[in-house]
Amino acid sequence: MTRTVIITGAGSGIGAATAKRFADDGWNVVLNGRTREKLDAVAAELPEMHVRVVQGDVANPDDAARLVEEAVDSFGGLTCLVNNAGIARGGEPGALSHDDFNAQMHINVGGTFNCVTAALPELKKADGACIVNTSSVSGERGDWAMFGYNASKGAISNMTRAMALDLAPEIRVNAVAPSLTETELTTDIRDDDALMKRFSDRIPMGRGAKPEEVASVIAFLASHDARFVNGVVLPVDGGLSASNGQPNFSA
Ligand code: NAD
């Protein structure tokens, strides 16, 4: 069976790793992002016959509609939508600007809404259709100085659960909730040795995730093996969220 996936934010990090993983698993892969050069570089590593690049901004409903249209023109249908594009802007209440708050809501939440809205008519025609959203551990609990990001990822986690109710049984909707992952988004954190030490103290596995370790869980959620998994927000966090937040008494 030919399966086609759209992956947003596929020019780097988790999205790029997810594109590679789906291509390895035999999917047609449609890469979306804002920067053509980054998308072309990812596409160059994938089988030419099975990959398309559609540049665009997920926060723009017209771009989302064109993304789905070009995917269907290229491959004749759509089986899965991976809503991965996202940004993070830090700042405590009172310090986070309106622009930064709104940008996170428009891209992270609005982008997911736009792509789902555009993709639904096509997903409804497909066998084994699904949506996988990229939430975060930051969507399940709060971070210091990240409340705008927390709000946007909390919205994605709960949209996931609510859409899973509305769209079953035809379309499954799930999400991954990674913690610290080695991507451009976390360069500043990973350059700070003292902060990384505190991260590794909080993550039982003692390290951040590789993008491929998140991509493989997204691929699982999209697979036939996960055909009865619906409405979950699956932590991919090395055990971080298993803790109640208290420090390690035995360390
Ligand atoms: P990243 O910055 O490498 O990837 C995000 C991608 O989204 C970039 O390629 C960016 O260009 C693209 N993008 C941003 N705005 C867009 C828009 N409006 N339209 C289209 N594309 C857009 O970082 P990443 O860590 O790979 O992030 C991927 C997802 O994972 C994000 O949703 C992020 O919030 C989430 N996440 C990341 C971490 C982490 O620690 N890296 C942890 C939890 C969740």
Side-chain angles (χ1 to χ4, degrees):
M1 185 180 67
T2 312
R3 298 171 298 174
T4 300
V5 60
I6 289 175
I7 302 167
T8 68
S12 58
I14 294 169
T18 302
K20 175 150 193 348
R21 175 58 195 251
F22 274 74
D24 288 348
D25 290 351
W27 291 67
N28 299 316
V29 180
V30 181
L31 311 177
N32 157 266
R34 292 173 302 183
T35 314
R36 180 88 210 184
E37 297 72 35
K38 284 167 58 179
L39 295 167
D40 285 344
V42 176
E45 304 293 316
L46 308 180
E48 202 180 331
M49 289 286 293
H50 298 285
V51 64
R52 294 291 180 278
V53 166
V54 184
Q55 184 186 6
D57 178 349
V58 293
N60 179 337
D62 294 338
D63 283 10
R66 184 172 47 79
L67 170 61
V68 172
E69 203 176 293
E70 291 192 26
V72 173
D73 282 353
S74 297
F75 297 118
L78 181 66
T79 322
C80 179
L81 168 67
V82 177
N83 287 304
N84 168 77
I87 60 167
R89 299 282 182 267
E92 293 178 4
L96 183 71
S97 69
H98 282 88
D99 283 353
D100 280 346
F101 180 81
N102 288 336
Q104 293 178 103
M105 297 310 275
H106 282 138
I107 294 173
N108 301 357
V109 187
T112 300
F113 168 80
N114 290 336
C115 291
V116 168
T117 302
L120 266 185
E122 294 300 328
L123 290 173
K124 282 182 177 162
K125 295 180 203 162
D127 285 336
C130 64
I131 296 168
V132 184
N133 296 322
T134 309
S135 186
S136 168
V137 292
S138 303
E140 304 301 295
R141 296 280 188 281
D143 294 291
W144 277 267
M146 291 291 289
F147 78 102
Y149 184 70
N150 293 132
S152 73
K153 290 296 179 178
I156 291 173
S157 290
N158 223 19
M159 274 167 77
T160 298
R161 300 180 184 104
M163 290 193 301
L165 307 181
D166 287 333
L167 300 179
E170 288 83 10
I171 304 170
R172 295 181 301 109
V173 188
N174 293 295
V176 287
S179 57
L180 181 73
T181 306
E182 294 175 10
T183 68
E184 284 173 26
L185 200 70
T186 58
T187 307
D188 290 349
I189 295 173
R190 288 181 296 109
D191 285 347
D192 182 335
D193 290 343
L195 185 52
M196 279 308 289
K197 167 79 178 75
R198 280 156 53 207
F199 259 103
S200 59
D201 287 346
R202 293 287 299 116
I203 300 171
M205 300 287 282
R207 61 174 178 84
K210 309 274 181 213
E212 296 73 22
E213 292 172 321
V214 181
S216 59
V217 179
I218 294 173
F220 162 70
L221 289 172
S223 74
H224 189 64
D225 283 347
R227 60 193 173 278
F228 207 60
V229 180
N230 191 29
V232 306
V233 180
L234 187 56
V236 188
D237 65 0
L240 178 118
S241 59
S243 164
N244 61 13
Q246 297 199 82
N248 181 347
F249 306 133
S250 65

